[in-house]
Amino acid sequence: MKTAHRKQRLTLLVLRDAQHSVRQIQLSRPLMIAVPAAAILSIAGLIVSLQIQSAQTIMGLEKQLTLKSLEAIKMEVTVTDKDEAIERLNKAIIQLSGEAEQTKVQMERVQQLEQELQQFIQKHGSLSGQTSSIPDENDQHVGGEFIAVHENEMLSLAQETQDDFVEIQQLISSMERHIPRTLDQAQETQEKREGTPSLWPTTSKRLTSNFGYRSDPFTGRSAYHAGIDIAGKIGDPVYAAGAGEVTTAERSGARGLYIIVKHPNGLETWYMHLDSLDVSVGDHVNQGETIGKLGSSGRSTGPHLHFQVVKNNQTVDPIPYLQ
């Protein structure tokens, strides 16, 4: 038993230096295991506590960062709102400045009118004040009946003059309102006039076929001709008979290269058998603008332009439209 008990104990030798004796400390095996274990546990506990503390610190910093971000967003929104408010104030200031300028002009006109009225009243007042019976040597000799001018008549005359000025101002304002409208109407009338296909589409005016029924040059049978044929040379310019929008610019078997221009009032002009196209679909052309070259493409016996006018989807005689 005593031997077994000694085997479970450990001897720890402490060597300080050569002058001191060696000390022996006997420790039991469980104690030698428990001390390092306790040290390890304490270190582990310290590490865990440090980790928890650091995690809490990180969470706190994240909350502060989130709050700072929210505050920055609020500040940005506030700055944006202030910028919008400043912009609105600037617009209001500009509008008020314009109104103030108009008011200033009106006030200047009123002041000018007031000065004229005052000069008018002063002039007539000075005339009525000449009641002295003692003539001056410098006065001119005049004659006639003396008629006094009363104050009421002067005020009435001044009021009539002021009313005349008011009527003149109203007339000027009415003219200012109607002149732009008249100009717009004139411009609209000019646009409609230019939109009517009234310009001859080629330099040549020699007709080779009229509108209506005729003998077909290919079959010899009677056929309806939907337009007029104008003779010319290949490459001659073809002009837009009126202003409008190009709705078709392509090649067809019978029509060859052809163009369709849409005009106001449901009118269209067709240009067929062209040699080349100078416009595309969607282009806006002015009256007299070159849109293509005369040719003999498609079902044609020679160089010419087939020109036709369509009104509300029905072909009509082009001659009454052309000047």
Side-chain angles (χ1 to χ4, degrees):
M1 292 294 293
K2 188 174 182 179
T3 303
H5 180 69
R6 287 180 178 178
K7 289 182 180 181
Q8 293 180 358
R9 298 181 65 86
L10 297 176
T11 301
L12 179 63
L13 299 177
V14 179
L15 300 176
R16 298 178 62 185
D17 51 30
Q19 298 177 359
H20 295 83
S21 60
V22 178
R23 297 184 62 183
Q24 295 183 2
I25 299 174
Q26 292 185 356
L27 299 175
S28 61
R29 187 182 297 271
L31 183 59
M32 289 295 294
I33 296 174
V35 170
I40 293 172
L41 290 175
S42 62
I43 294 172
L46 179 60
I47 294 172
V48 172
S49 63
L50 290 174
Q51 288 180 348
I52 293 173
Q53 185 177 1
S54 62
Q56 292 177 352
T57 304
I58 292 171
M59 291 177 63
L61 292 174
E62 289 178 350
K63 289 181 180 180
Q64 292 180 2
L65 182 60
T66 303
L67 292 175
K68 293 292 183 181
S69 300
L70 292 175
E71 291 178 358
I73 293 173
K74 290 180 180 179
M75 290 179 63
E76 184 177 358
V77 172
T78 303
V79 170
T80 303
D81 294 339
K82 288 183 178 179
D83 291 340
E84 293 178 355
I86 291 173
E87 183 67 22
R88 289 195 296 268
L89 288 175
N90 288 334
K91 292 181 179 179
I93 290 171
I94 293 173
Q95 183 177 0
L96 290 175
S97 177
E99 294 177 356
E101 188 66 25
Q102 294 178 358
T103 304
K104 181 180 178 181
V105 173
Q106 293 176 353
M107 288 298 296
E108 290 177 354
R109 294 177 62 184
V110 171
Q111 290 176 359
Q112 183 180 2
L113 176 61
E114 183 180 0
Q115 292 176 0
E116 293 176 358
L117 289 175
Q118 288 178 355
Q119 293 174 359
F120 179 80
I121 293 172
Q122 290 174 0
K123 180 179 179 181
H124 287 275
S126 62
L127 292 175
S128 63
Q130 295 176 358
T131 58
S132 176
S133 60
I134 302 174
D136 190 1
E137 294 179 356
N138 297 325
D139 288 344
Q140 296 180 354
H141 297 281
V142 295
E145 182 181 6
F146 177 76
I147 301 175
V149 179
H150 297 284
E151 183 180 357
N152 292 334
E153 295 178 356
M154 294 167 54
L155 293 176
S156 177
L157 183 60
Q159 184 63 40
E160 290 178 0
T161 306
Q162 185 177 6
D163 292 340
D164 291 339
F165 274 110
V166 172
E167 291 180 1
I168 291 172
Q169 290 178 356
Q170 292 177 353
L171 180 60
I172 292 174
S173 299
S174 178
M175 291 174 63
E176 290 176 350
R177 289 195 303 268
H178 285 84
I179 286 175
R181 187 183 305 172
T182 304
L183 292 176
D184 292 340
Q185 291 176 353
Q187 184 177 2
E188 184 178 357
T189 303
Q190 180 70 13
E191 291 177 354
K192 288 183 179 179
R193 186 179 67 82
E194 293 180 354
T196 302
S198 58
L199 182 69
W200 198 269
T202 58
T203 54
S204 170
K205 294 187 178 181
R206 185 167 64 90
L207 294 179
T208 58
S209 183
N210 294 318
F211 175 83
Y213 288 94
R214 67 170 185 178
S215 176
D216 187 277
F218 290 94
T219 63
R221 299 177 182 178
S222 178
Y224 179 76
H225 189 225
I228 58 174
D229 290 340
I230 308 173
K233 297 179 181 179
I234 293 179
D236 287 348
V238 175
Y239 309 111
E245 181 183 356
V246 178
T247 58
T248 303
E250 61 185 20
R251 179 184 293 273
S252 173
R255 300 168 182 169
L257 287 173
Y258 74 104
I259 297 171
I260 300 177
V261 179
K262 183 179 180 181
H263 308 281
N265 301 324
L267 291 172
E268 290 180 346
T269 49
W270 295 43
Y271 311 81
M272 300 183 188
H273 310 302
L274 300 177
D275 185 66
S276 63
L277 307 177
D278 294 341
V279 293
S280 302
V281 174
D283 290 348
H284 178 82
V285 295
N286 298 320
Q287 189 178 43
E289 182 178 345
T290 301
I291 59 175
K293 300 293 187 297
L294 188 144
S296 183
S297 59
R299 193 172 183 266
S300 172
T301 59
H304 74 284
L305 172 68
H306 174 90
F307 176 76
Q308 68 183 48
V309 176
V310 178
K311 184 175 183 180
N312 297 328
N313 298 324
Q314 292 187 355
T315 56
V316 294
D317 189 358
I319 295 298
Y321 286 93
L322 299 178
Q323 295 178 354

